Amino acid sequence: MSRALFAGVLLVLAGCASPPALQPQVTQDLLPLLQQQGYAIDVDTSIERLAQARVPGDAQAMLAGGQGASEAGRIGGQAGVAGPGAGVAGALIGSLLVAQINASRIQAETDRQAADLVAPLRQAIAAQGLDFWFTQTLQAELAAGDLGAAQPESPYRLRFEPQAIFGDELDRLHLVTEISLLFGHEVLYRGRIEVIDAAPWPLDSTANLGLQPWLANDAAAYRQVLHGGLREMLQVLLLDMQTGHFAASNSSETTLRYQLGGGRFVERGRLLAQTPERSLFMDMRGWLKSVPLQAAR
Amino acid sequence: MKYLRLHLVLLALAAVLGGCASKAQQPLELDNALWNERDEVIGIAYVEPPRPFVSMVGNQGLLDLAFNNSMAAGLKRKVDTWDVASFRDVPKQIAEELNSRGYNARVIEQPVLPAQLPRHKAGLGYAGQDYRALKQQHQIDKLVLVSLSQVGTVRSYYSMIPTSDPVAQIGGLAQVIDLDDNRLLHYQPIAASRAAEGEWDEGPDFPNLTNAFYQLLDSTEQQMISPFRRPLISAQHP
């Protein structure tokens, strides 16, 4: 009975796992295909998706919670009254549940802090209909580029799912867009492109300016940075399609370090391209990331 | 009565021995002796870093350990590929900072082996090993020594049940030693951990946890270098 209960709890907790990450996918010769056949466009966006924040999780709290759960399990196992088997099973189930609850609590707190951070910006851009503006701007930029204007009747559907996320110091903006090209149910292209931009004002490392500069003049700075990110995202998308997801690149995985505003960033990836203004690299999942070039050591 | 005396003697002995227990060296800010003695030569060295490993903490028996090791095989394979080679560049970066400020700093290319040096029992405020021989060996007056201890991930368990996600962890130490008398001019222990941003369990590459580790390694390296950097001039308020 205790084994069945234990197995059931494990199954329930396994069901709480997050969905799998996007796997990049590209079919050859997409650009000529879209230029000849045309494409329709879908943009899935909202005010919430266009104003998010990233707050780091608390590793120490996570470990402390886990060790506390481990200790609670040990004490519970020793105090088992129904015999050693049932006592141990109960302690194991209890410690597993406590660990899961602890992790969920930490995540919920992190999410709440992030939402509180950007609440004023969400109010400001909701009043301006920024989600509609984003869709219009995206269509205009596509029409001005190599793909030409969208054609609603085309069977090829180019779908964009953008998110704009502030870094925790509010000194940079990440435009993260998942893009897919569908022909009916067949997926011809799937990719994720992240464009990072620093705030357009000189940064003072001795003061955290907060959200105020982004909100000034009806969020003009926010709109400007978002527009720049959108243009760069489309350029990277075209390059990705042209090169077959950079199939010919032979760069190896390395530690990439870049400076952005007042922060220093480190991640593993492959450097793909570099211009005087920006670097483009592929992370360990095959996602593409474009960052502005500053002194990186 | 006889047993009461025995107990009292044992109690007194325990109290004395407890008082003799060694105290840990507390962190020391960088002493001005390093900055004031500009004509001295500063050698900067590192201790060969350990290979990253997967650490499992918590209440586990032998069978639990075997099971947990087996379940963590995928993560272990990935952690085995993690590379701390960038740490070997830290002495070079410290030397660049010191030389740019007009000090005479040079890198000692070969890693120092503290285990092969004799113990120095002078107590708190002095290095645990006797580094004075390096003065003659490398023609230096002061030694900046950086080292890493625990490198990899740590996860807590109760028996066979993981009670936390694995987090990246790094332990390290940065010291400055006056080679005239082995006195510590700087002592900075580092113990840091970092959780993966997002989902950690994405084998075989574990990208989020891998990034967390390299970010932690970089921040540890920067923490060791920063005491030697020229201080920034803060904004002047009118």
Side-chain angles (χ1 to χ4, degrees):
Chain A
M1 178 64 181
S2 61
R3 280 188 195 169
L5 181 62
F6 181 54
V9 169
L10 277 178
L11 283 171
V12 168
L13 288 169
C16 299
S18 50
L22 179 145
Q23 296 287 331
Q25 183 181 340
V26 60
T27 306
Q28 297 300 322
D29 300 327
L30 282 176
L31 270 190
L33 177 72
L34 293 177
Q35 284 164 344
Q36 285 166 19
Q37 304 292 332
Y39 64 96
I41 182 173
D42 281 333
V43 183
D44 177 13
T45 190
S46 66
I47 294 299
E48 286 71 32
R49 289 173 67 92
L50 287 180
Q52 301 180 55
R54 191 175 282 164
V55 174
D58 189 341
Q60 284 296 330
M62 212 175 281
L63 260 181
Q67 286 172 328
S70 177
E71 186 58 18
R74 181 188 71 80
I75 293 168
Q78 287 173 347
V81 296
V88 167
L92 287 175
I93 292 168
S95 64
L96 189 62
L97 286 171
V98 168
Q100 188 68 31
I101 290 166
N102 188 54
S104 299
R105 181 185 57 78
I106 293 171
Q107 185 59 48
E109 177 61 22
T110 303
D111 292 344
R112 186 195 62 76
Q113 287 175 8
D116 287 347
L117 198 57
V118 292
L121 180 64
R122 282 182 176 173
Q123 286 174 1
I125 65 176
Q128 297 168 26
L130 198 81
D131 47 348
F132 180 73
W133 167 85
F134 188 93
T135 301
Q136 296 294 301
T137 306
L138 179 61
Q139 287 175 335
E141 290 289 343
L142 277 167
D146 288 348
L147 287 179
Q151 297 166 27
E153 67 281 2
S154 169
Y156 295 91
R157 304 203 71 79
L158 193 54
R159 181 175 171 82
F160 294 85
E161 296 173 56
Q163 299 183 71
I165 309 170
F166 282 105
D168 49 346
E169 297 292 327
L170 299 176
D171 59 355
R172 65 190 187 278
L173 188 66
H174 301 243
L175 177 62
V176 180
T177 312
E178 293 188 1
I179 305 134
S180 49
L181 176 63
L182 301 160
F183 180 69
H185 292 291
E186 185 184 352
V187 177
L188 302 179
Y189 174 87
R190 182 171 283 140
R192 185 184 192 271
I193 298 171
E194 182 172 348
V195 177
I196 308 174
D197 280 297
W201 46 82
L203 290 166
D204 179 357
S205 62
T206 65
N208 184 347
L209 299 176
L211 209 51
Q212 206 49 47
W214 295 104
L215 291 170
N217 297 325
D218 292 331
Y222 181 71
R223 195 192 296 258
Q224 174 196 339
V225 172
L226 205 55
H227 195 164
L230 191 157
R231 274 200 214 100
E232 175 68 12
M233 180 269 291
L234 290 175
Q235 284 183 6
V236 173
L237 173 64
L238 286 179
L239 199 56
D240 196 27
M241 286 182 172
Q242 277 170 349
T243 61
H245 199 50
F246 300 91
S249 169
N250 59 2
S251 59
S252 55
E253 185 183 305
T254 184
T255 302
L256 300 156
R257 298 176 178 82
Y258 53 94
Q259 206 90 8
L260 201 58
R264 178 189 171 88
F265 299 91
V266 176
E267 59 185 298
R268 293 287 282 186
R270 290 166 48 206
L271 191 60
L272 299 173
Q274 202 153 308
T275 68
E277 293 84 31
R278 302 190 77 92
S279 283
L280 177 67
F281 63 90
M282 185 182 296
D283 72 11
M284 295 174 62
R285 286 198 185 79
W287 298 348
L288 300 172
K289 195 173 277 194
S290 170
V291 302
L293 258 179
Q294 290 180 332
R297 194 171 186 144
Chain B
M1 193 58 183
K2 179 171 69 174
Y3 290 112
L4 177 62
R5 268 192 215 154
L6 177 62
H7 287 139
L8 284 173
V9 166
L10 285 174
L11 194 62
L13 193 60
V16 167
L17 288 173
C20 294
S22 59
K23 293 179 186 171
Q25 173 64 52
Q26 295 299 306
L28 289 173
E29 292 289 326
L30 197 48
D31 194 297
N32 280 332
L34 181 75
W35 305 120
N36 294 340
E37 294 161 6
R38 280 184 170 268
D39 53 338
E40 296 207 326
V41 180
I42 305 169
I44 303 141
Y46 70 97
V47 177
E48 185 66 28
R51 289 185 59 82
F53 65 95
V54 171
S55 176
M56 300 174 181
V57 300
N59 294 285
Q60 302 162 84
L62 286 175
L63 188 61
D64 302 328
L65 271 172
F67 178 80
N68 293 335
N69 271 297
S70 153
M71 294 301 289
L75 179 60
K76 283 189 168 195
R77 271 193 294 274
K78 183 61 188 176
V79 169
D80 280 347
T81 69
W82 288 356
D83 176 18
V84 294
S86 63
F87 180 73
R88 298 189 187 97
D89 286 337
V90 169
K92 184 178 158 204
Q93 293 179 52
I94 294 176
E96 282 171 8
E97 295 290 341
L98 288 171
N99 287 330
S100 74
R101 297 175 70 176
Y103 292 90
N104 187 358
R106 78 166 80 110
V107 173
I108 299 172
E109 296 294 339
Q110 293 302 313
V112 169
L113 301 168
Q116 294 185 358
L117 297 173
R119 295 273 306 159
H120 188 222
K121 296 181 184 174
L124 296 179
Y126 292 84
Q129 312 298 124
D130 192 342
Y131 294 96
R132 287 175 289 186
L134 299 180
K135 183 180 170 82
Q136 181 68 27
Q137 186 180 346
H138 295 288
Q139 297 297 301
I140 55 177
D141 302 295
K142 292 184 172 60
L143 175 67
V144 177
L145 185 65
V146 293
S147 59
L148 295 179
S149 50
Q150 291 168 300
V151 179
T153 65
V154 60
R155 188 177 198 184
S156 64
Y157 289 82
Y158 175 73
S159 180
M160 296 179 193
I161 306 297
T163 52
S164 77
D165 290 342
V167 300
Q169 67 158 1
I170 286 183
L173 179 62
Q175 308 176 79
V176 179
I177 302 152
D178 188 334
L179 296 178
D180 287 333
D181 53 5
N182 218 41
R183 190 169 61 93
L184 285 170
L185 301 178
H186 178 54
Y187 189 87
Q188 181 191 12
I190 297 168
S193 57
R194 189 174 181 121
E197 281 185 32
E199 180 59 45
W200 75 268
D201 194 6
E202 293 176 309
D205 287 328
F206 302 94
N208 287 338
L209 193 58
T210 299
N211 276 333
F213 171 75
Y214 283 99
Q215 287 157 5
L216 188 61
L217 178 62
D218 185 80
S219 73
T220 301
E221 291 167 359
Q222 293 304 305
Q223 225 175 316
M224 290 180 173
I225 297 167
S226 67
F228 303 98
R229 284 205 173 103
R230 190 184 298 272
L232 293 172
I233 299 171
S234 58
Q236 299 292 321
H237 295 286

